[in-house]
Structures are given as C-alpha cells and as structure tokens.
Amino acid sequence: MSQTDKKISEVVLRNPQKTVDFTISELSKLAQVSDASVSRFCKNLSLSGFHQLKVELAKASQNEDNYYKELDKEYNRRNFKNRTKRDNEYFEKISDSAVCC
C-alpha cells in the first residue's frame, strides 16, 4: 500500500459512517491527497470507483456484526489453508466464540 493509500485508509477507518456522506473532494482534503488519488485508492481495492466505496461502507455499517463475522471466517479460511483438520476446527471455534462475545 502506498503512502497516499495509507493516508486515505486512515481517514476512512477513523470513521467509516461519516465517509459515506463525504464527497470525493472532502475525503481527499481530509486525507491531504488529490481527488485522483482517492479514485486510484478505490481502484486498488478492486472497486469501480468512489461511489462503490461509499456503498460498501454503508452496507458494512448497516450490518456491522454480520459483516465482521463473515470477514473473520473468510480471513481464517483464506490465510490458514495449510492447517490440519483439527487446527481448522479449533480456529473456527475460536472465531465463532470471539465474534459472539
């Protein structure tokens, strides 16, 4: 991730709910980058553009619990492919209990 992308992500992650209401210019000003940098940031996330970023953030904030629960499970599946079956069961159990509590 470039330094410019890091600046943008810091602003977005600080308050994703407010980011939904920003214009591209407002986000770029807060992140101290250009409007084009925000567009490239969205493309780097495999999004079609700034509008899609806002849509995805809105979806996440509306259903935050389920969103992060699914994200955690997918992260575990994707990043621990070489685990044994026993390891997989253990990590699934931990993932489920951590999200629930």
Side-chain angles (χ1 to χ4, degrees), residues 84-99:
T84 65
K85 182 178 177 184
R86 187 171 162 228
D87 291 338
N88 285 338
E89 290 169 357
Y90 174 76
F91 281 109
E92 284 293 324
K93 190 174 184 180
I94 289 175
S95 179
D96 287 341
S97 65
V99 172

Side-chain angles (χ1 to χ4, degrees), residues 64-100:
E64 194 172 280
D65 291 339
N66 288 336
Y67 175 80
Y68 288 111
K69 185 175 182 178
E70 289 304 312
L71 183 65
D72 289 341
K73 284 184 178 182
E74 181 59 29
Y75 175 84
N76 284 341
R77 283 187 199 99
R78 190 173 52 242
N79 291 300
F80 299 102
K81 289 180 181 176
N82 295 326
R83 296 182 303 202
T84 65
K85 182 178 177 184
R86 187 171 162 228
D87 291 338
N88 285 338
E89 290 169 357
Y90 174 76
F91 281 109
E92 284 293 324
K93 190 174 184 180
I94 289 175
S95 179
D96 287 341
S97 65
V99 172
C100 294

